[in-house]
Amino acid sequence: MVCGEANTGVYTRGKPTLICRNTMERQSRNSDNWRWLCWCESGLSLGQSRHERCGPPGKIGAHCWIYLARSLTTYFHPGINLKKIHYYSIKLYEKLEEETGQAVGFHQPGSIRIATTPVRVDEFKYQMTRTGWHATEQYIIEPEKIQEMFPLLNMNKILAGLYNPGDGHIDPYSLTMALAAGARKYGALLKYPALVTSLKPRSDGTWDVETPQGSVRANRIVNAAGFWAREVGKMIGLEHPLIPVQHQYVVTSSIPEVKALKRELPVLRDLEGSFYLRQERDGLLFGPYESQEKMKVQDTWVTNGVPPGFGKELFESDLDRIMEHIEIAMEMVPVLKKADIINVVNGPITYSPDILPMVGPHQGVRNYWVAVGFGYGIIHAGGVGKYLSDWILHGEPPFDLIELDPNRYGKWTTTQYTEAKARESYGFNNIVGYPKEERFAGRPTQRVSGLYKTLESKCSMGFHAGWEQPHWFYKPGQDTGYRPSFRRTNWFEPVGSEYKQVMQRVGVIDLSPFGKFNIKGQDSIRLLDHLFANVIPKVGFTNISHMLTPKGRVYAELTVSHQSPGEFLLVTGSGSELHDLRWIEEEAVRGRYDVEIKNVTDEFGVLGVAGPHARKVLQKLTSEDLSDDAFKFLQTKSLKFSNIPVTAIRISYTGELGWELYHRREDSAALYDVIMNAGQEEGIDNFGTYAMNALRLEKAFRAWGSEMNCDTNPLEAGLEYFVKLNKPADFIGKEALKQIRAKGLTRRLVCLTLATDDVDPEGNESVWWNGKVVGNTTSGSYSYSIQKSLAFAYVPIELSQVGQQVEVELLGRNYPATIIQEPLVLTEQTRNQLQKNGGKDKM
């Protein structure tokens, strides 16, 4: 639960066990970083320790209930970098016995996900292209191969399988003991049980961890307390959005057909039936995921806490709740019909709202980290331990996993929202994973813009860090439903209309979900000069700036507006709000900068107005001169539109003439109304984020989280213009970038056009050349200007020349693609400049 380099502690149980290390190794004489010799969480969320639940070794009780169901291991994950977590865990478990001398009971018969519908086959193809550029083995296999590998299956409905060699299951008790043995081998001292009674932060950023055995001083703490994590968080005033759900599984007696098998069955996942099944000795074990209407949340633990002394207990089983899945399982595996059920087990699993764990440092509390909410348990244990220890040692994450950032949640994440989403996430465990997926439970939250009521009946909303934001708008007579698909669907034509709206007339978009920070103080310029690779903009101007990690990777992209001497407005994407704020705050504290940092995200709304008539419309509402000479590109001014105070920045992610208008949130509806009324003559209309994405791709604008993140450096991402290596300030990552530049790049981001049919790239698809996977796309869309698909992709430097032919894999087919000169469409500012310098012919 708690980690600190000094007397390193990992409290691995919620009541909680303390793992302390007295023997440590310094990396250098004066270094504050200790070499981690062990990471082990034996809490329920990472595989329950049988020693703690059922007594010491040799006295195993009858309540070792969660191990079998919780012990599944798989290379598969739809998340790109979460595959790395799974991969590391499995590779670690494979070598633990050799390294520690402790058997771990690791079975690796492989696993098969079965498809019984055509759309599920499409999903398998979709996942295959996202796996091709990873080390993980994964194959689509035909029904004949499935039957050969799992001869007990009823093959009537099976169309295909997704097969992962090396998948399987492991004994968590043996694994925990092996990790403990390895920790001791490298100098760790394990102490348990050690109940934590309080956590006390100190002024220097360290912590005092109070236990009945005494106090432990730690440089940082890591909450890894399983389903006690909420209670640990409450000790320091945090409400972690976690909730325990009941999960049942069934174990059968010996089955003759299973006993007669010559090799162990692969783990089976029937996605339509929503259950997993594996061999357990001579019988079978299967566990279903009920629908959100039938599943049960242990909500009393949220309101009243985990019952004191809870350890070996189980919840009462409820076969009626899972009978539908039992019947489906018996149809799929007919030998189950003759099998006796010898055990029905019902125990708690901790869920976050989106089922993904929360891993990393927490914003707003110095040196407080979390590793909680592991709905899938043991497969994350080894990889997350390595990930966290590397991050702590080196000051930056080893690769990007923002989807696990605990700061993706905020004050808007209420208990009611958490329960609603946990129900949905549990019930949706095996639904088809579409691109652009939306899930609707718990929405809307309290975090809606001032335009929500005005726009909700006109558009399809998307969920962005608690906010509702229009994705696309529909007109009377158009299909307004949510129609997810792997191919072009009902939003394709409306988005094309919005694209033309912005390119030919003028459009309005709600950008209120942007993260927004005010920074001021006598050291504000020094702080930002240290944080950002770009120069600090002059007063009254804005620029695009990037925060880099010490190794020169792109931690964040923000717009920086110098509003008045020493006072700045920083704007970031909605999903990066607290992710970026934490980094800024920690650097301010570390460098002892005299600054005031305020998060104003919820106080201000943002409207974007873009298109060739944007100036004409807005000029009707203000006496301020908006001409090109008076209000230059990237300039920022405070003014009024129809007496509504606004901070206007001449910038637009569409690449067209436009402004972002920052205003009080309560003024959003009034500001929107006056703009729409003023633009009637110009044919003004709404547009959403889908159209904006198509527009920015044509302009070759990069997006953080896609083209750049903690996996990429700004040079390979084509961001050289925004990186000023010659500026005097020693910004974070500067020396690393110099070394990267001197060494030379091995890959580069390029822009591709694709000749497809009814499918467009989304990002993370495999790029092929000469029969081999050589790279990956980062994002993509349909280009409504050239009527082809468009994508960004990373390819080897030797294949990055304009005109190079490659292929992009989409839904099981390789489509020809060509690297083009970017941008496909010049920005409005560039077009105007070329016209001034050389006329239309030159442009």
Side-chain angles (χ1 to χ4, degrees):
M1 181 184 67
V2 177
C3 284
E5 287 89 359
N7 298 318
T8 293
V10 179
Y11 296 98
T12 58
R13 279 270 300 184
K15 283 274 307 189
T17 302
L18 171 63
I19 299 180
C20 286
R21 185 184 74 242
N22 287 339
T23 304
M24 299 167 288
E25 295 181 16
R26 284 278 194 177
Q27 287 188 311
S28 64
R29 184 175 180 181
N30 297 315
S31 171
D32 188 45
N33 291 326
W34 297 89
R35 177 171 175 242
W36 276 52
L37 302 181
C38 167
W39 170 271
C40 171
E41 176 176 339
S42 57
L44 192 62
S45 62
L46 289 181
Q48 184 62 52
S49 165
R50 188 179 299 180
H51 171 78
E52 294 177 290
R53 296 200 65 80
C54 305
K59 297 183 179 180
I60 305 303
H63 301 285
C64 304
W65 47 269
I66 204 70
Y67 316 132
L68 302 177
R70 304 285 287 157
S71 66
L72 299 181
T73 58
T74 178
Y75 284 113
F76 177 87
H77 199 282
I80 296 304
N81 277 347
L82 270 168
K83 297 179 195 297
K84 296 181 181 179
I85 295 292
H86 288 213
Y87 185 86
Y88 181 88
S89 292
I90 290 176
K91 294 305 179 185
L92 173 67
Y93 302 161
E94 286 176 344
K95 65 183 181 182
L96 268 181
E97 182 171 354
E98 178 183 351
E99 185 173 354
T100 67
Q102 171 76 42
V104 295
F106 195 12
H107 295 242
Q108 293 182 276
S111 76
I112 304 173
R113 287 168 169 77
I114 56 175
T116 55
T117 65
V119 72
R120 190 68 77 174
V121 176
D122 274 353
E123 182 187 25
F124 288 0
K125 293 175 181 178
Y126 178 75
Q127 290 301 333
M128 281 301 299
T129 188
R130 297 162 67 86
T131 302
W133 50 285
H134 283 268
T136 301
E137 279 192 85
Q138 185 169 287
Y139 310 98
I140 292 180
I141 57 177
E142 299 297 323
E144 294 77 15
K145 184 65 176 178
I146 297 172
Q147 188 167 35
E148 176 187 333
M149 298 174 68
F150 204 116
L152 305 183
L153 274 177
N154 175 358
M155 301 298 298
N156 288 344
K157 298 180 180 180
I158 296 176
L159 302 178
L162 193 66
Y163 172 54
N164 287 96
D167 283 10
H169 53 96
I170 195 168
D171 172 24
Y173 166 68
S174 299
L175 174 62
T176 303
M177 293 301 102
L179 290 171
R184 293 187 184 96
K185 177 180 177 180
Y186 294 112
L189 175 63
L190 279 65
K191 294 183 178 180
Y192 52 87
L195 175 69
V196 176
T197 56
S198 70
L199 301 173
K200 297 180 179 178
R202 296 169 54 85
S203 59
D204 63 355
T206 61
W207 290 82
D208 284 334
V209 182
E210 303 293 337
T211 78
Q213 288 83 6
S215 179
V216 178
R217 179 71 49 81
N219 288 346
R220 60 175 54 79
I221 56 178
V222 178
N223 181 346
F227 48 66
W228 286 273
R230 282 181 60 91
E231 294 172 53
V232 174
K234 287 180 179 179
M235 291 181 183
I236 57 173
L238 294 177
E239 290 280 348
H240 293 308
L242 300 168
I243 196 162
V245 302
Q246 294 188 15
H247 179 64
Q248 299 186 94
Y249 68 88
V250 175
V251 183
T252 77
S253 61
S254 178
I255 300 172
E257 291 87 345
V258 175
K259 188 174 183 179
L261 294 170
K262 296 181 179 179
R263 61 174 181 267
E264 183 176 353
L265 293 168
V267 177
L268 184 75
R269 290 176 173 87
D270 182 348
L271 303 177
E272 305 307 323
S274 192
F275 68 86
Y276 57 84
L277 180 146
R278 71 167 177 85
Q279 186 172 336
E280 172 60 20
R281 297 186 175 86
D282 294 334
L284 296 172
L285 176 154
F286 68 98
Y289 290 95
E290 310 97 293
S291 67
Q292 56 185 308
E293 293 79 18
K294 291 185 177 182
M295 61 86 67
K296 187 170 183 180
V297 169
Q298 195 65 23
D299 48 12
T300 58
W301 286 17
V302 177
T303 54
N304 304 326
V306 182
F310 183 88
K312 300 179 181 181
E313 296 79 9
L314 292 173
F315 302 128
E316 185 176 352
S317 61
D318 184 357
L319 276 177
D320 289 340
R321 208 165 75 217
I322 62 173
M323 185 54 66
E324 173 187 353
H325 301 277
I326 293 175
E327 291 173 353
I328 294 172
M330 289 192 296
E331 180 183 355
M332 185 60 69
V333 185
V335 295
L336 284 171
K337 297 177 182 179
K338 300 179 292 182
D340 294 326
I341 294 176
I342 61 172
N343 205 1
V344 180
V345 177
N346 186 12
I349 302 176
T350 304
Y351 264 45
S352 69
D354 62 8
I355 207 175
L356 294 176
M358 301 162 63
V359 177
H362 202 287
Q363 186 271 332
V365 187
R366 289 179 67 189
N367 296 323
Y368 174 78
W369 295 51
V370 296
V372 299
F374 291 88
Y376 291 126
I378 206 164
I379 187 56
H380 289 143
V384 166
K386 179 66 161 60
Y387 183 82
L388 273 181
S389 57
D390 283 352
W391 191 347
I392 290 172
L393 282 175
H394 303 301
E396 64 179 276
F399 48 87
D400 180 71
L401 272 180
I402 193 170
E403 62 266 43
L404 303 192
D405 189 347
N407 305 300
R408 67 187 185 271
Y409 301 116
K411 295 178 181 178
W412 53 269
T413 316
T414 63
T415 300
Q416 293 75 18
Y417 171 84
T418 300
E419 178 172 343
K421 296 304 287 188
R423 284 185 175 278
E424 179 184 59
S425 294
Y426 186 90
F428 282 9
N429 249 289
N430 292 304
I431 67 164
V432 176
Y434 291 103
K436 294 183 171 64
E437 182 187 55
E438 288 292 322
R439 297 186 176 187
F440 298 98
R443 296 169 55 181
T445 72
Q446 64 191 38
R447 213 177 199 195
V448 294
S449 82
L451 294 183
Y452 177 70
K453 291 184 178 179
T454 302
L455 300 179
E456 64 172 325
S457 64
K458 302 176 181 179
C459 67
S460 177
M461 290 281 188
F463 189 73
H464 298 263
W467 297 87
E468 299 290 331
Q469 186 175 27
H471 277 174
W472 61 279
F473 288 82
Y474 33 76
K475 302 298 182 185
Q478 292 180 333
D479 183 357
T480 63
Y482 171 61
R483 305 280 185 261
S485 176
F486 295 103
R487 295 173 170 81
R488 294 170 191 161
T489 183
N490 59 332
W491 53 259
F492 181 75
E493 295 297 338
V495 170
S497 298
E498 294 172 31
Y499 169 92
K500 293 176 183 177
Q501 177 72 33
V502 175
M503 291 296 292
Q504 299 174 5
R505 293 181 290 277
V506 57
V508 179
I509 184 171
D510 185 6
L511 299 173
S512 297
F514 280 164
K516 317 165 197 80
F517 319 129
N518 279 336
I519 298 183
K520 60 183 180 180
Q522 66 178 25
D523 290 338
S524 60
I525 293 178
R526 282 204 313 119
L527 170 62
L528 298 186
D529 220 12
H530 175 64
L531 283 170
F532 292 111
N534 205 345
V535 296
I536 304 303
K538 297 177 181 178
V539 175
F541 283 87
T542 295
N543 70 13
I544 307 297
S545 295
H546 299 86
M547 295 193 296
L548 308 182
T549 71
K551 292 183 180 179
R553 297 167 178 168
V554 185
Y555 186 82
E557 179 184 73
L558 300 92
T559 57
V560 179
S561 298
H562 202 162
Q563 296 181 295
S564 61
E567 184 168 353
F568 297 86
L569 171 66
L570 273 58
V571 179
T572 188
S574 57
S576 306
E577 176 196 345
L578 300 182
H579 169 271
D580 295 358
L581 181 61
R582 181 197 66 80
W583 186 271
I584 295 168
E585 289 175 337
E586 289 191 1
E587 285 301 321
V589 170
R590 187 178 292 114
R592 298 183 178 180
Y593 294 96
D594 184 4
V595 294
E596 178 184 331
I597 302 170
K598 185 179 180 182
N599 185 358
V600 295
T601 299
D602 290 347
E603 297 177 26
F604 289 92
V606 188
L607 287 181
V609 182
H613 299 315
R615 178 182 286 116
K616 186 177 179 181
V617 172
L618 293 178
Q619 190 66 77
K620 299 177 186 180
L621 303 174
T622 182
S623 58
E624 186 83 29
D625 187 355
L626 302 183
S627 68
D628 193 53
D629 291 333
F631 204 139
K632 296 179 173 59
F633 180 59
L634 293 179
Q635 197 167 3
T636 177
K637 292 184 178 183
S638 295
L639 45 84
K640 290 185 178 181
F641 287 121
S642 293
N643 211 34
I644 299 172
V646 165
T647 295
I649 304 174
R650 191 178 154 195
I651 192 173
S652 176
Y653 202 36
T654 67
E656 296 302 306
L657 173 66
W659 280 263
E660 291 177 358
L661 308 177
Y662 294 78
H663 56 276
R664 293 176 303 188
R665 190 170 166 186
E666 57 267 30
D667 290 337
S668 291
L671 180 61
Y672 173 82
D673 286 343
V674 298
I675 292 172
M676 296 301 284
N677 289 333
Q680 291 304 302
E681 184 180 340
E682 290 74 23
I684 196 169
D685 209 344
N686 299 291
F687 71 103
T689 58
Y690 285 2
M692 185 167 67
N693 186 56
L695 287 157
R696 71 96 183 171
L697 276 163
E698 289 188 348
K699 306 304 193 309
F701 290 169
R702 278 69 169 152
W704 192 90
S706 299
E707 283 70 57
M708 51 180 148
N709 54 28
C710 289
D711 295 328
T712 62
N713 68 67
L715 304 183
E716 64 188 5
L719 299 171
E720 296 94 334
Y721 177 82
F722 305 102
V723 175
K724 303 299 190 289
L725 286 172
N726 59 350
K727 80 172 189 177
D730 186 22
F731 63 85
I732 299 171
K734 185 176 185 178
E735 290 306 312
L737 272 190
K738 288 181 178 179
Q739 294 176 21
I740 291 170
R741 185 177 63 174
K743 186 177 180 181
L745 301 177
T746 60
R747 64 173 188 166
R748 187 182 294 278
L749 187 71
V750 298
C751 192
L752 302 169
T753 57
L754 294 79
T756 66
D757 35 49
D758 64 342
V759 59
D760 298 300
E762 292 283 335
N764 298 315
E765 293 97 356
S766 297
V767 176
W768 292 74
W769 179 76
N770 201 22
K772 295 181 180 179
V773 175
V774 294
N776 63 279
T777 62
T778 56
S779 59
S781 177
Y782 183 77
S783 169
Y784 292 92
S785 68
I786 63 169
Q787 298 181 11
K788 288 184 178 181
S789 294
L790 190 66
F792 275 123
Y794 277 104
V795 298
I797 198 77
E798 63 271 18
L799 297 177
S800 64
Q801 299 303 310
V802 172
Q804 174 69 53
Q805 300 289 314
V806 293
E807 295 175 325
V808 175
E809 182 184 348
L810 300 172
L811 295 184
R813 176 181 168 187
N814 285 10
Y815 289 89
T818 304
I819 297 177
I820 64 168
Q821 180 68 49
E822 59 178 74
L824 178 66
V825 177
L826 296 175
T827 65
E828 177 268 345
Q829 178 69 13
T830 304
R831 298 195 302 265
N832 286 347
Q833 193 64 43
L834 287 174
Q835 276 189 321
K836 290 178 182 178
N837 294 342
K840 292 185 178 180
D841 291 341
K842 183 173 180 179
M843 184 175 68

